[in-house]
Amino acid sequence: MFNFILRRTAASIPVMAMVAAVVFAILRLTPGDPAAIIAGDSATPQQLEEIRRMMGLDEPMYVQFLIWIWRLLQGDLGTSLLSGVPVAEMIGQRMGPSLALCLSTITLSVLVAIPLGILAAWRQGKPLDRLVMAASVLGFSVPVFVTAYVMILVFSLKLGWFPVQGYKPLAAGLWPFAQALVLPTIALSTVYIALIARITRTSIIEVMGEDFIRTARAKGLRERSVLTGHALRNAAVPIVTIIGVGVAMLISGVVVTESVFNLPGLGRLVVEAVLARDYPVIQALILLFAFVYVFINLIVDALYTVFDPRIRY
């Protein structure tokens, strides 16, 4: 296992390098000039040239890339072109809301979706199964921002149960912290609940036809024990896989959700940096998201051996 982790870590280095090169090239080749955004509409050509020189944008693209990579290897993510604040400091300030939203979304999705998938598989072809699958199709089809606005209309504006927008840190109290995350978490988790529930149902239905399930039933085990102790454990590999794959969707969903609910997280920072063409911030955030995705997939691969002893690396 240790050798496998080392190999996967080494293999992720070229992936991260490719992501860095592609992101750097795309940002530099897209239309727009960050110097013009900073200087404003009334800036003279001389002022624009001076700003480009100060920002290093007058250098050839390969020189800018090499300078950025060298600083990155030294742990320097750069400085925001607009605010002048170090990018690492900006990410640290915005990490809390995004981390809280992601953890609450994953937790809620797993706790709700897996029991729904088990129930749907147990009652295959029955009304309960059709209801769960219909709800899954609906949850997977409706965009996150539509769900978010509907929930704001009903639970915030009509009923007044939750705030429309904003974020409260945990230091402000447990209830204000949870109250600000309820609607964003539910809105973001609908897609993942639908996805995980469908995969759980399909995986358990496939396992239910195996010989060891018939043997467990012949031994007189209760149906709940058969479903949770035997079927679910042997169907866990595809379920864990889809949870890991959902991280990529979660990253894109966080951007939309934080914008709708005005959460000061990394997703909102991405939108602000893209609109302002703040190159160092965009590059650092995309590299961070890519690293998280690679790391989650490494954890998922390692968990395969826990759920299926037949898998060995």
Side-chain angles (χ1 to χ4, degrees):
M1 176 63 73
F2 181 72
N3 292 332
F4 164 75
I5 294 176
L6 286 180
R7 290 197 303 269
R8 284 296 304 271
T9 303
S12 66
I13 295 177
V15 175
M16 299 297 296
M18 183 63 67
V19 170
V22 170
V23 170
F24 187 91
I26 290 176
L27 290 177
R28 295 310 191 278
L29 295 176
T30 50
D33 186 359
I37 297 176
I38 295 173
D41 298 332
S42 60
T44 63
Q46 293 78 11
Q47 291 174 329
L48 292 177
E49 288 298 326
E50 179 64 20
I51 293 175
R52 292 192 189 99
R53 185 188 63 79
M54 294 175 58
M55 293 166 43
L57 299 177
D58 59 335
E59 299 286 350
M61 186 182 298
Y62 74 92
V63 175
Q64 297 181 42
F65 179 72
L66 292 177
I67 292 175
W68 177 58
I69 289 295
W70 174 247
R71 291 176 178 173
L72 192 63
L73 293 175
Q74 294 178 324
D76 182 9
L77 297 179
T79 303
S80 171
L81 299 180
L82 295 181
S83 64
V85 178
V87 176
E89 182 179 337
M90 296 178 67
I91 292 177
Q93 294 172 351
R94 301 291 192 99
M95 183 74 73
S98 295
L99 189 60
L101 179 60
C102 290
L103 291 178
S104 61
T105 299
I106 290 294
T107 302
L108 178 64
S109 300
V110 171
L111 292 178
V112 174
I114 292 181
L116 285 178
I118 295 174
L119 289 175
W122 176 48
R123 308 297 294 175
Q124 182 184 3
K126 301 297 176 55
L128 179 60
D129 179 27
R130 296 192 182 95
L131 178 62
V132 172
M133 289 301 98
S136 298
V137 172
L138 181 64
F140 197 73
S141 303
V142 178
V144 173
F145 68 90
V146 174
T147 305
Y149 282 125
V150 170
M151 295 181 66
I152 289 175
L153 176 63
V154 175
F155 296 103
S156 296
L157 299 180
K158 298 293 185 182
L159 300 177
W161 292 353
F162 303 101
V164 176
Q165 293 179 330
Y167 172 77
K168 296 292 184 180
L170 189 58
L174 182 59
W175 173 240
F177 170 76
Q179 193 178 30
L181 285 177
V182 169
L183 293 186
T185 298
I186 296 176
L188 186 56
S189 63
T190 51
V191 176
Y192 308 105
I193 290 175
L195 181 62
I196 297 171
R198 290 180 66 87
I199 296 298
T200 301
R201 172 187 178 273
T202 302
S203 301
I204 290 182
I205 288 176
E206 292 178 357
V207 171
M208 293 297 284
E210 299 291 336
D211 292 338
F212 66 88
I213 295 294
R214 289 192 290 269
T215 302
R217 285 172 171 166
K219 291 167 61 178
L221 292 180
R222 293 184 300 174
E223 192 68 13
R224 179 166 51 172
S225 299
V226 173
L227 287 170
T228 58
H230 294 74
L232 180 60
R233 181 177 178 85
N234 286 273
V237 170
I239 297 173
V240 172
T241 301
I242 202 62
I243 293 174
V245 171
V247 173
M249 301 172 59
L250 184 63
I251 291 173
S252 61
V254 163
V255 175
V256 176
T257 306
E258 289 184 355
S259 299
V260 172
F261 289 96
N262 195 24
L263 300 178
L266 296 179
R268 183 77 181 277
L269 183 60
V270 169
V271 176
E272 296 171 356
V274 169
L275 293 177
R277 298 190 63 81
D278 200 339
Y279 292 151
V281 178
I282 301 173
Q283 292 164 176
L285 287 172
I286 294 179
L287 280 180
L288 175 63
F289 292 154
F291 172 77
V292 171
Y293 186 66
V294 170
F295 180 71
I296 292 296
N297 278 274
L298 177 61
I299 294 178
V300 169
D301 289 345
L303 287 176
Y304 286 164
T305 59
V306 176
F307 295 106
D308 192 345
R310 295 171 297 180
I311 298 177
R312 286 292 179 266
Y313 296 114

